[in-house]
Amino acid sequence: PLPDLSLLLPCCRAKEIKTKLGTLLQKPDSTIDFIIPYPEKPEKPPKAQKPSPEEALQWRDSLEKLLQNPYGLASFRSFLRSEFSEENAEFWVACEDYKKTKSPVKMAEKAKKIYEEFIQTEAPKEVNIDHFTKAVTIKNLVEPSPTSFDMAQKRIFALMEKDSLPRFVRSEFYQELIK
């Protein structure tokens, strides 16, 4: 008798996804590895960009406003570096840059770079996301789109908002900004 093929389908689907993902993650032969255009180490913003105490006060209640302000982002990244969790802000920045990418080729290259740097197990700057979120993200990378990293980015944003932002707001550096 023939085996029940329905038992084999999930396995085949998983192999298909693995094969497509493997193809996506292979280094292109004819192109130089694409470099994501955001700095590895942020430079200190010039003094002129320093926010007013009123503007800095808004960051207590809005991680989004903090991350959108160049001085705020640099300050927050410096703080996270001191706590050994800078990869969270770097991942968020990389995702923001990725979402602005129009070219499918560049999008695939950036997706590969973000995956290798932040998502894959033992990545150099692996972010702390749950297995389900990681699985969904990997599945999304089979056909990269502007929303491929959305779930992971939201998880990391929530982690920074709940965990890192309150500590940043209590930090000496932030306290100096709001005086």
Side-chain angles (χ1 to χ4, degrees), residues 35-44 73-74 77 81 86 89-91 93-94 97 117-118 125:
I35 297 168
I36 297 177
Y38 57 92
E40 280 296 319
K41 299 216 161 126
E43 292 142 26
K44 282 274 184 199
L73 176 61
R77 284 174 77 165
R81 192 177 310 119
E86 186 186 8
E90 288 184 21
F91 174 69
V93 169
D97 175 65
E117 197 169 347
F118 300 104
K125 297 176 183 179

PDB file of all heavy atoms in Angstrom, residues 35-44 73-74 77 81 86 89-91 93-94 97 117-118 125:
ATOM      1  N   ILE A  35      26.646  46.839   2.115  1.00  0.00           N
ATOM      2  CA  ILE A  35      26.873  47.358   3.458  1.00  0.00           C
ATOM      3  C   ILE A  35      25.691  48.255   3.813  1.00  0.00           C
ATOM      4  O   ILE A  35      25.370  49.192   3.096  1.00  0.00           O
ATOM      5  CB  ILE A  35      28.183  48.159   3.535  1.00  0.00           C
ATOM      6  CG1 ILE A  35      29.357  47.228   3.233  1.00  0.00           C
ATOM      7  CG2 ILE A  35      28.330  48.815   4.895  1.00  0.00           C
ATOM      8  CD1 ILE A  35      30.665  47.947   2.994  1.00  0.00           C
ATOM      9  N   ILE A  36      25.022  47.939   4.911  1.00  0.00           N
ATOM     10  CA  ILE A  36      23.879  48.744   5.352  1.00  0.00           C
ATOM     11  C   ILE A  36      24.407  50.115   5.766  1.00  0.00           C
ATOM     12  O   ILE A  36      25.330  50.203   6.574  1.00  0.00           O
ATOM     13  CB  ILE A  36      23.135  48.071   6.515  1.00  0.00           C
ATOM     14  CG1 ILE A  36      22.562  46.732   6.041  1.00  0.00           C
ATOM     15  CG2 ILE A  36      22.019  48.968   7.049  1.00  0.00           C
ATOM     16  CD1 ILE A  36      21.859  45.935   7.113  1.00  0.00           C
ATOM     17  N   PRO A  37      23.826  51.183   5.198  1.00  0.00           N
ATOM     18  CA  PRO A  37      24.362  52.527   5.462  1.00  0.00           C
ATOM     19  C   PRO A  37      23.936  53.116   6.801  1.00  0.00           C
ATOM     20  O   PRO A  37      23.210  54.070   6.870  1.00  0.00           O
ATOM     21  CB  PRO A  37      23.803  53.356   4.293  1.00  0.00           C
ATOM     22  CG  PRO A  37      22.528  52.674   3.955  1.00  0.00           C
ATOM     23  CD  PRO A  37      22.749  51.210   4.246  1.00  0.00           C
ATOM     24  N   TYR A  38      24.320  52.466   7.904  1.00  0.00           N
ATOM     25  CA  TYR A  38      24.173  53.100   9.203  1.00  0.00           C
ATOM     26  C   TYR A  38      25.449  52.808   9.965  1.00  0.00           C
ATOM     27  O   TYR A  38      26.042  51.759   9.803  1.00  0.00           O
ATOM     28  CB  TYR A  38      22.926  52.633   9.965  1.00  0.00           C
ATOM     29  CG  TYR A  38      22.823  51.152  10.194  1.00  0.00           C
ATOM     30  CD1 TYR A  38      23.314  50.574  11.346  1.00  0.00           C
ATOM     31  CD2 TYR A  38      22.223  50.329   9.245  1.00  0.00           C
ATOM     32  CE1 TYR A  38      23.233  49.221  11.562  1.00  0.00           C
ATOM     33  CE2 TYR A  38      22.129  48.965   9.455  1.00  0.00           C
ATOM     34  CZ  TYR A  38      22.643  48.417  10.625  1.00  0.00           C
ATOM     35  OH  TYR A  38      22.551  47.068  10.834  1.00  0.00           O
ATOM     36  N   PRO A  39      25.904  53.762  10.759  1.00  0.00           N
ATOM     37  CA  PRO A  39      27.208  53.616  11.387  1.00  0.00           C
ATOM     38  C   PRO A  39      27.232  52.506  12.427  1.00  0.00           C
ATOM     39  O   PRO A  39      26.243  52.282  13.119  1.00  0.00           O
ATOM     40  CB  PRO A  39      27.436  54.982  12.040  1.00  0.00           C
ATOM     41  CG  PRO A  39      26.084  55.569  12.209  1.00  0.00           C
ATOM     42  CD  PRO A  39      25.239  55.006  11.102  1.00  0.00           C
ATOM     43  N   GLU A  40      28.361  51.812  12.510  1.00  0.00           N
ATOM     44  CA  GLU A  40      28.550  50.786  13.541  1.00  0.00           C
ATOM     45  C   GLU A  40      28.518  51.457  14.908  1.00  0.00           C
ATOM     46  O   GLU A  40      27.824  51.037  15.788  1.00  0.00           O
ATOM     47  CB  GLU A  40      29.900  50.099  13.340  1.00  0.00           C
ATOM     48  CG  GLU A  40      29.898  49.055  12.256  1.00  0.00           C
ATOM     49  CD  GLU A  40      28.991  47.873  12.559  1.00  0.00           C
ATOM     50  OE1 GLU A  40      28.954  47.395  13.713  1.00  0.00           O
ATOM     51  OE2 GLU A  40      28.301  47.439  11.630  1.00  0.00           O
ATOM     52  N   LYS A  41      29.309  52.512  15.038  1.00  0.00           N
ATOM     53  CA  LYS A  41      29.349  53.244  16.299  1.00  0.00           C
ATOM     54  C   LYS A  41      28.886  54.673  16.033  1.00  0.00           C
ATOM     55  O   LYS A  41      29.501  55.384  15.262  1.00  0.00           O
ATOM     56  CB  LYS A  41      30.774  53.254  16.852  1.00  0.00           C
ATOM     57  CG  LYS A  41      31.279  51.857  17.137  1.00  0.00           C
ATOM     58  CD  LYS A  41      32.145  51.845  18.344  1.00  0.00           C
ATOM     59  CE  LYS A  41      32.208  50.442  18.804  1.00  0.00           C
ATOM     60  NZ  LYS A  41      33.175  49.678  19.048  1.00  0.00           N
ATOM     61  N   PRO A  42      27.783  55.077  16.654  1.00  0.00           N
ATOM     62  CA  PRO A  42      27.295  56.428  16.393  1.00  0.00           C
ATOM     63  C   PRO A  42      28.281  57.465  16.916  1.00  0.00           C
ATOM     64  O   PRO A  42      28.899  57.267  17.954  1.00  0.00           O
ATOM     65  CB  PRO A  42      25.984  56.487  17.180  1.00  0.00           C
ATOM     66  CG  PRO A  42      26.137  55.464  18.255  1.00  0.00           C
ATOM     67  CD  PRO A  42      27.026  54.394  17.691  1.00  0.00           C
ATOM     68  N   GLU A  43      28.402  58.536  16.156  1.00  0.00           N
ATOM     69  CA  GLU A  43      29.260  59.622  16.608  1.00  0.00           C
ATOM     70  C   GLU A  43      28.453  60.494  17.553  1.00  0.00           C
ATOM     71  O   GLU A  43      27.243  60.568  17.448  1.00  0.00           O
ATOM     72  CB  GLU A  43      29.726  60.449  15.401  1.00  0.00           C
ATOM     73  CG  GLU A  43      30.668  59.671  14.499  1.00  0.00           C
ATOM     74  CD  GLU A  43      30.426  59.968  13.031  1.00  0.00           C
ATOM     75  OE1 GLU A  43      29.937  61.056  12.700  1.00  0.00           O
ATOM     76  OE2 GLU A  43      30.723  59.077  12.218  1.00  0.00           O
ATOM     77  N   LYS A  44      29.141  61.127  18.452  1.00  0.00           N
ATOM     78  CA  LYS A  44      28.451  62.048  19.359  1.00  0.00           C
ATOM     79  C   LYS A  44      27.872  63.192  18.527  1.00  0.00           C
ATOM     80  O   LYS A  44      28.562  63.775  17.703  1.00  0.00           O
ATOM     81  CB  LYS A  44      29.433  62.632  20.384  1.00  0.00           C
ATOM     82  CG  LYS A  44      29.762  61.684  21.504  1.00  0.00           C
ATOM     83  CD  LYS A  44      28.735  61.785  22.592  1.00  0.00           C
ATOM     84  CE  LYS A  44      29.133  60.903  23.769  1.00  0.00           C
ATOM     85  NZ  LYS A  44      28.037  60.605  24.625  1.00  0.00           N
ATOM     86  N   LEU A  73      18.636  59.386  19.969  1.00  0.00           N
ATOM     87  CA  LEU A  73      19.044  58.049  19.542  1.00  0.00           C
ATOM     88  C   LEU A  73      20.504  57.786  19.931  1.00  0.00           C
ATOM     89  O   LEU A  73      20.832  56.735  20.491  1.00  0.00           O
ATOM     90  CB  LEU A  73      18.853  57.880  18.032  1.00  0.00           C
ATOM     91  CG  LEU A  73      19.344  56.555  17.434  1.00  0.00           C
ATOM     92  CD1 LEU A  73      18.606  55.364  18.045  1.00  0.00           C
ATOM     93  CD2 LEU A  73      19.164  56.568  15.919  1.00  0.00           C
ATOM     94  N   ALA A  74      21.380  58.761  19.652  1.00  0.00           N
ATOM     95  CA  ALA A  74      22.804  58.599  19.994  1.00  0.00           C
ATOM     96  C   ALA A  74      22.980  58.450  21.506  1.00  0.00           C
ATOM     97  O   ALA A  74      23.758  57.607  21.973  1.00  0.00           O
ATOM     98  CB  ALA A  74      23.609  59.785  19.466  1.00  0.00           C
ATOM     99  N   ARG A  77      21.661  55.017  22.553  1.00  0.00           N
ATOM    100  CA  ARG A  77      22.592  53.958  22.131  1.00  0.00           C
ATOM    101  C   ARG A  77      23.820  53.928  23.043  1.00  0.00           C
ATOM    102  O   ARG A  77      24.307  52.848  23.398  1.00  0.00           O
ATOM    103  CB  ARG A  77      23.002  54.138  20.675  1.00  0.00           C
ATOM    104  CG  ARG A  77      21.889  53.703  19.720  1.00  0.00           C
ATOM    105  CD  ARG A  77      22.204  53.992  18.292  1.00  0.00           C
ATOM    106  NE  ARG A  77      23.143  53.016  17.752  1.00  0.00           N
ATOM    107  CZ  ARG A  77      23.381  52.855  16.464  1.00  0.00           C
ATOM    108  NH1 ARG A  77      22.755  53.612  15.582  1.00  0.00           N
ATOM    109  NH2 ARG A  77      24.230  51.953  16.049  1.00  0.00           N
ATOM    110  N   ARG A  81      24.863  50.787  25.230  1.00  0.00           N
ATOM    111  CA  ARG A  81      26.214  50.231  25.129  1.00  0.00           C
ATOM    112  C   ARG A  81      26.765  50.004  26.539  1.00  0.00           C
ATOM    113  O   ARG A  81      27.387  48.974  26.806  1.00  0.00           O
ATOM    114  CB  ARG A  81      27.127  51.169  24.338  1.00  0.00           C
ATOM    115  CG  ARG A  81      28.450  50.539  23.945  1.00  0.00           C
ATOM    116  CD  ARG A  81      29.339  51.441  23.090  1.00  0.00           C
ATOM    117  NE  ARG A  81      28.633  52.018  21.962  1.00  0.00           N
ATOM    118  CZ  ARG A  81      28.460  53.326  21.771  1.00  0.00           C
ATOM    119  NH1 ARG A  81      28.972  54.201  22.612  1.00  0.00           N
ATOM    120  NH2 ARG A  81      27.796  53.771  20.734  1.00  0.00           N
ATOM    121  N   GLU A  86      23.225  47.294  23.297  1.00  0.00           N
ATOM    122  CA  GLU A  86      23.142  48.231  22.175  1.00  0.00           C
ATOM    123  C   GLU A  86      22.553  47.573  20.931  1.00  0.00           C
ATOM    124  O   GLU A  86      21.992  48.253  20.066  1.00  0.00           O
ATOM    125  CB  GLU A  86      24.526  48.796  21.866  1.00  0.00           C
ATOM    126  CG  GLU A  86      24.495  49.885  20.813  1.00  0.00           C
ATOM    127  CD  GLU A  86      25.875  50.354  20.391  1.00  0.00           C
ATOM    128  OE1 GLU A  86      26.877  49.747  20.783  1.00  0.00           O
ATOM    129  OE2 GLU A  86      25.938  51.352  19.648  1.00  0.00           O
ATOM    130  N   ALA A  89      18.911  48.682  19.880  1.00  0.00           N
ATOM    131  CA  ALA A  89      18.757  49.929  19.127  1.00  0.00           C
ATOM    132  C   ALA A  89      19.320  49.785  17.716  1.00  0.00           C
ATOM    133  O   ALA A  89      18.723  50.282  16.752  1.00  0.00           O
ATOM    134  CB  ALA A  89      19.453  51.085  19.854  1.00  0.00           C
ATOM    135  N   GLU A  90      20.434  49.078  17.574  1.00  0.00           N
ATOM    136  CA  GLU A  90      21.014  48.861  16.239  1.00  0.00           C
ATOM    137  C   GLU A  90      20.057  48.074  15.350  1.00  0.00           C
ATOM    138  O   GLU A  90      19.902  48.392  14.163  1.00  0.00           O
ATOM    139  CB  GLU A  90      22.351  48.124  16.345  1.00  0.00           C
ATOM    140  CG  GLU A  90      23.462  48.984  16.891  1.00  0.00           C
ATOM    141  CD  GLU A  90      24.801  48.253  16.906  1.00  0.00           C
ATOM    142  OE1 GLU A  90      24.977  47.271  16.163  1.00  0.00           O
ATOM    143  OE2 GLU A  90      25.677  48.694  17.669  1.00  0.00           O
ATOM    144  N   PHE A  91      19.422  47.060  15.910  1.00  0.00           N
ATOM    145  CA  PHE A  91      18.455  46.269  15.154  1.00  0.00           C
ATOM    146  C   PHE A  91      17.275  47.147  14.738  1.00  0.00           C
ATOM    147  O   PHE A  91      16.841  47.123  13.589  1.00  0.00           O
ATOM    148  CB  PHE A  91      17.972  45.074  15.996  1.00  0.00           C
ATOM    149  CG  PHE A  91      16.862  44.290  15.357  1.00  0.00           C
ATOM    150  CD1 PHE A  91      17.103  43.521  14.217  1.00  0.00           C
ATOM    151  CD2 PHE A  91      15.583  44.311  15.881  1.00  0.00           C
ATOM    152  CE1 PHE A  91      16.076  42.794  13.617  1.00  0.00           C
ATOM    153  CE2 PHE A  91      14.564  43.592  15.295  1.00  0.00           C
ATOM    154  CZ  PHE A  91      14.813  42.828  14.158  1.00  0.00           C
ATOM    155  N   VAL A  93      17.197  50.392  14.275  1.00  0.00           N
ATOM    156  CA  VAL A  93      17.661  51.316  13.231  1.00  0.00           C
ATOM    157  C   VAL A  93      17.788  50.579  11.891  1.00  0.00           C
ATOM    158  O   VAL A  93      17.367  51.081  10.847  1.00  0.00           O
ATOM    159  CB  VAL A  93      19.007  51.982  13.628  1.00  0.00           C
ATOM    160  CG1 VAL A  93      19.638  52.715  12.460  1.00  0.00           C
ATOM    161  CG2 VAL A  93      18.800  52.944  14.791  1.00  0.00           C
ATOM    162  N   ALA A  94      18.369  49.372  11.926  1.00  0.00           N
ATOM    163  CA  ALA A  94      18.530  48.583  10.696  1.00  0.00           C
ATOM    164  C   ALA A  94      17.169  48.268  10.069  1.00  0.00           C
ATOM    165  O   ALA A  94      17.010  48.325   8.844  1.00  0.00           O
ATOM    166  CB  ALA A  94      19.296  47.295  10.989  1.00  0.00           C
ATOM    167  N   ASP A  97      15.768  51.382   8.373  1.00  0.00           N
ATOM    168  CA  ASP A  97      16.463  51.578   7.103  1.00  0.00           C
ATOM    169  C   ASP A  97      15.950  50.571   6.065  1.00  0.00           C
ATOM    170  O   ASP A  97      15.679  50.927   4.926  1.00  0.00           O
ATOM    171  CB  ASP A  97      17.972  51.424   7.310  1.00  0.00           C
ATOM    172  CG  ASP A  97      18.737  51.509   6.001  1.00  0.00           C
ATOM    173  OD1 ASP A  97      18.720  52.588   5.380  1.00  0.00           O
ATOM    174  OD2 ASP A  97      19.321  50.495   5.580  1.00  0.00           O
ATOM    175  N   GLU A 117      23.289  39.283  11.150  1.00  0.00           N
ATOM    176  CA  GLU A 117      23.837  40.100  12.231  1.00  0.00           C
ATOM    177  C   GLU A 117      23.013  40.041  13.523  1.00  0.00           C
ATOM    178  O   GLU A 117      23.570  40.092  14.623  1.00  0.00           O
ATOM    179  CB  GLU A 117      23.942  41.563  11.766  1.00  0.00           C
ATOM    180  CG  GLU A 117      24.844  42.399  12.615  1.00  0.00           C
ATOM    181  CD  GLU A 117      25.153  43.758  11.991  1.00  0.00           C
ATOM    182  OE1 GLU A 117      24.868  43.967  10.793  1.00  0.00           O
ATOM    183  OE2 GLU A 117      25.677  44.605  12.712  1.00  0.00           O
ATOM    184  N   PHE A 118      21.670  39.910  13.375  1.00  0.00           N
ATOM    185  CA  PHE A 118      20.805  40.051  14.552  1.00  0.00           C
ATOM    186  C   PHE A 118      19.886  38.873  14.864  1.00  0.00           C
ATOM    187  O   PHE A 118      19.473  38.721  16.009  1.00  0.00           O
ATOM    188  CB  PHE A 118      19.910  41.292  14.395  1.00  0.00           C
ATOM    189  CG  PHE A 118      20.658  42.580  14.262  1.00  0.00           C
ATOM    190  CD1 PHE A 118      20.791  43.197  13.026  1.00  0.00           C
ATOM    191  CD2 PHE A 118      21.239  43.202  15.361  1.00  0.00           C
ATOM    192  CE1 PHE A 118      21.469  44.405  12.890  1.00  0.00           C
ATOM    193  CE2 PHE A 118      21.926  44.402  15.244  1.00  0.00           C
ATOM    194  CZ  PHE A 118      22.040  45.002  13.997  1.00  0.00           C
ATOM    195  N   LYS A 125      25.366  40.021  16.958  1.00  0.00           N
ATOM    196  CA  LYS A 125      24.588  40.976  17.767  1.00  0.00           C
ATOM    197  C   LYS A 125      23.160  40.440  17.938  1.00  0.00           C
ATOM    198  O   LYS A 125      22.190  41.181  17.803  1.00  0.00           O
ATOM    199  CB  LYS A 125      24.556  42.338  17.077  1.00  0.00           C
ATOM    200  CG  LYS A 125      25.917  42.971  16.942  1.00  0.00           C
ATOM    201  CD  LYS A 125      25.837  44.272  16.176  1.00  0.00           C
ATOM    202  CE  LYS A 125      27.224  44.863  15.976  1.00  0.00           C
ATOM    203  NZ  LYS A 125      27.168  46.107  15.211  1.00  0.00           N
TER     204      LYS A 125
END
